[in-house]
Amino acid sequence: MTAIPTAESLAGEHHDADHHDVAPLRKTAMWVFLGSECILFGAMIATFLLYRSTTADGPTAQELFKIPFTSASSFVLLMSSLTMVLAHNAFERKDMRRARIFLLGTALLGATFLAGQIFEFTDFVHEGLTPQVSPFGSSFYMLTGFHGAHVFIGVMLLTAMYVLSLSGRLYEDRGLNVELVGLYWHFVDIVWIVIFTVVYLLQV
Amino acid sequence: MATSAHPTPRFYWTVALVLAVVTGAEIAVGVMEVFASVKVAGLLVLSGLKFAAVVAFFMHLRFDKPLYRSLFLIGLFGAIPIFVVFLLTFEALI
């Protein structure tokens, strides 16, 4: 007996067809976005390099930066890229349980990095580095704060994916959603690779 | 979408291990008492290696469509000369 298609199933098929049609477009759009973000972060890194020595009466990078602590934070973010790619890999293999664990792990590692950044900012403010005290302070907080905002958005996206997967709404044929969030997350990681070297290691 | 098969989890763990080792080397170079030019060059090379590894393997640009690689590289290599010239103008390059 042939099953009669319902309005819901037809709508679903139509939606799936749409999804596959626009998939390359969505991925292309994500790469265009990431390319443009290179220019945005490049502008902020260049501004930091321009003002890195203009500390006025405020503390200098050498007096403030605690490399062991920032190294640990950097390592946490780097490892979150590993858990993200493992989540995507598990999703492609339709291993939803493992994908869910790695998604949650990535969100937690991202949240740990953010907690470290909040701790570091609080410490710097107590040491006298505020955004108002010097051009060095302004450009430092602008760059690292903007990166932190990107991490926060990433953690929100990962949490949303995790919640969707728990409620069974992160479908196995929608791997592109996980891939796009993954691309965004890895980008946040590579920006930090540059910031850690240029802003921290090269200034101490 | 991908032009070739994606690697296995074991491969990703290996890449992560290499990244961890390079990060350790970076920190060691960062705190070493060496000539400033050697330090800058060393750190930039190590940082570049990490950047390239994440982009190539974790972001799958090594295995994906050349179009995506081009789009990203246009942004990346478009930004670098603009800001190098900007910093040279103000004599603020490292």
Side-chain angles (χ1 to χ4, degrees), chain A residues 83-102:
Chain A
T83 52
M84 184 69 241
V85 80
L86 290 174
H88 178 223
N89 187 273
F91 201 88
E92 290 215 317
R93 289 184 286 110
K94 304 201 186 303
D95 183 350
M96 293 303 283
R97 193 185 71 87
R98 214 174 277 260
R100 203 174 292 142
I101 290 169
F102 283 126

Side-chain angles (χ1 to χ4, degrees), chain A residues 136-189:
Chain A
F136 164 69
S138 306
S139 55
F140 171 79
Y141 284 117
M142 172 62 102
L143 172 59
T144 53
F146 203 71
H147 176 267
H150 275 70
V151 176
F152 179 75
I153 291 167
V155 170
M156 292 294 106
L157 289 171
L158 288 163
T159 308
M161 302 224 96
Y162 177 72
V163 172
L164 283 173
S165 74
L166 279 181
S167 60
R169 283 183 290 163
L170 190 64
Y171 306 113
E172 289 178 354
D173 63 338
R174 303 289 164 85
L176 185 67
N177 291 335
V178 179
E179 187 174 2
L180 294 182
V181 172
L183 286 176
Y184 174 84
W185 190 259
H186 296 308
F187 179 79
V188 165
D189 182 32

Side-chain angles (χ1 to χ4, degrees), chain A residues 56-134:
Chain A
D57 295 329
T60 64
Q62 289 89 342
E63 293 164 351
L64 283 173
F65 292 168
K66 293 166 184 70
I67 296 302
F69 180 81
T70 317
S71 303
S73 291
S74 303
F75 186 73
V76 165
L77 197 62
L78 198 61
M79 288 305 105
S80 76
S81 257
L82 171 66
T83 52
M84 184 69 241
V85 80
L86 290 174
H88 178 223
N89 187 273
F91 201 88
E92 290 215 317
R93 289 184 286 110
K94 304 201 186 303
D95 183 350
M96 293 303 283
R97 193 185 71 87
R98 214 174 277 260
R100 203 174 292 142
I101 290 169
F102 283 126
L103 274 179
L104 183 64
T106 310
L108 289 175
L109 287 170
T112 306
F113 174 84
L114 279 178
Q117 196 169 40
I118 291 166
F119 174 80
E120 189 182 52
F121 282 5
T122 310
D123 183 46
F124 289 173
V125 169
H126 283 141
E127 299 268 341
L129 185 77
T130 59
Q132 297 86 6
V133 78
S134 64

Side-chain angles (χ1 to χ4, degrees), chain A residues 27-28 31 35 38-39 42-43 46 50 52 71 75 78 81-82 85-86 88-89 92 183 186 190 193 197 202 204, chain B residues 6-7 9 12-13 16 20 23 26-27 39 43 47 54-55 58-61 64 68 71-72 75 83 87 90 92:
Chain A
K27 199 167 166 182
T28 305
W31 278 109
C38 285
I39 296 172
L50 185 63
R52 71 188 191 278
S71 303
F75 186 73
L78 198 61
S81 257
L82 171 66
V85 80
L86 290 174
H88 178 223
N89 187 273
E92 290 215 317
L183 286 176
H186 296 308
I190 57 172
I193 287 172
T197 303
L202 286 176
V204 293
Chain B
H6 285 189
Y12 293 129
W13 280 100
T23 304
E26 223 179 5
I27 296 160
K39 192 171 174 173
L43 286 174
S47 170
V54 173
V55 171
F58 286 177
M59 295 174 90
H60 297 136
L61 267 196
D64 233 326
Y68 302 142
L71 289 171
F72 184 65
F83 299 116
L87 289 170
F90 290 98

